[in-house]
Amino acid sequence: MVIGCGFICVFAVLINKVSLQETVHKEGVIGGSVLLPCSSTEHDLKLQDTDVHWRHNGSENVYDIVKGEDSLERQDLRYKNRAETFPDEYERGNFSIKLNNLTHTDGGKYICIITHSSELRTVQLIINESTAGKESKSTEHENPEDETGSDSVET
Ligand SMILES: *[C@@H]1O[C@H](CO)[C@@H](O)[C@H](O)[C@H]1NC(C)=O
Ligand SMILES: *[C@@H]1O[C@H](CO)[C@@H](O)[C@H](O)[C@H]1NC(C)=O
Ligand SMILES: *[C@@H]1O[C@H](CO)[C@@H](O)[C@H](O)[C@H]1NC(C)=O
Ligand SMILES: *[C@@H]1O[C@H](CO)[C@@H](O)[C@H](O)[C@H]1NC(C)=O
């Protein structure tokens, strides 16, 4: 067994690759749900050798899939009963998860690390608060400025 540096090491190696990866942008509304996509492009992925780590804002543990099995042992309480997996899809290399009952603090950056095949996916989640209908007076029709030109490469 050569498990010297474990997760931190894998993480560090993958961070170097991240600048080449495309960031997927998703949007959700408070109380709603969103699918956070993460698929492997590896064709002969061996599930028994594969761990998947979903993390939010760099460190919070959203979900772990260990050797192809869901593992909630180290899940952060924030995501308890809110993160849904699709185990039938694992065989196809699809480790997407669904986050339900979205809250304001669910916005931010999600990463999906697929060990063994050393892949990393990044999802940027934006929580659209205009549907929460709190104190937002409808100003959305006045300023149709969209931040379209944003390139998806982030550090
Ligand atoms: C992955 O699985 C989810 C849940 O079933 C599905 O919505 C999504 O389309 C799948 N993605 C791919 C690339 O097959
Ligand atoms: C989560 O959503 C379900 C239905 O979508 C709802 O019944 C439940 O009350 C929500 N839970 C929380 C903590 O908001
Ligand atoms: C994650 O980061 C986003 C953007 O910086 C922030 O709005 C959100 O509150 C953070 N959430 C958590 C749980 O750290
Ligand atoms: C946020 O939601 C409102 C109301 O559903 C919608 O009109 C608006 O286009 C959404 N914002 C974005 C950035 O998609």
Side-chain angles (χ1 to χ4, degrees):
M1 293 216 295
V2 196
I3 310 183
C5 55
F7 181 71
I8 300 296
C9 238
V10 174
F11 195 79
V13 170
L14 286 167
I15 288 301
N16 288 326
K17 292 187 175 183
V18 74
S19 54
L20 300 173
Q21 291 281 351
E22 199 180 313
T23 298
V24 174
H25 293 262
K26 299 287 281 191
E27 195 182 300
V29 295
I30 290 176
S33 302
V34 71
L35 185 83
L36 305 175
C38 175
S39 287
S40 172
T41 52
E42 195 87 347
H43 291 302
D44 53 352
L45 196 72
K46 304 263 190 310
L47 276 189
Q48 67 269 23
D49 295 335
T50 302
D51 294 350
V52 178
H53 305 286
W54 272 103
R55 296 293 179 270
H56 182 201
N57 283 0
S59 61
E60 294 196 49
N61 186 326
V62 183
Y63 220 98
D64 281 330
I65 299 164
V66 176
K67 299 189 192 310
E69 304 275 348
D70 287 358
S71 168
L72 292 170
E73 251 173 67
R74 310 178 74 170
Q75 184 184 46
D76 206 281
L77 280 179
R78 282 178 41 78
Y79 311 98
K80 193 174 189 291
N81 296 328
R82 296 201 301 129
E84 198 180 314
T85 54
F86 304 95
D88 292 347
E89 297 282 335
Y90 297 168
E91 210 69 56
R92 285 188 276 272
N94 178 356
F95 303 105
S96 306
I97 61 171
K98 192 173 170 193
L99 201 54
N100 297 309
N101 290 28
L102 292 172
T103 68
H104 175 66
T105 48
D106 286 333
K109 188 174 177 174
Y110 290 81
I111 57 171
C112 166
I113 299 166
I114 307 173
T115 63
H116 199 66
S117 67
S118 296
E119 292 170 279
L120 189 148
R121 301 281 177 268
T122 307
V123 183
Q124 190 76 37
L125 177 62
I126 294 159
I127 302 295
N128 183 346
E129 306 187 45
S130 57
T131 46
K134 284 273 162 79
E135 54 197 296
S136 64
K137 282 200 168 179
S138 54
T139 49
E140 64 231 54
H141 294 297
E142 290 168 20
N143 266 336
E145 282 174 36
D146 239 350
E147 291 169 302
T148 28
S150 67
D151 246 334
S152 45
V153 179
E154 288 163 31
T155 42

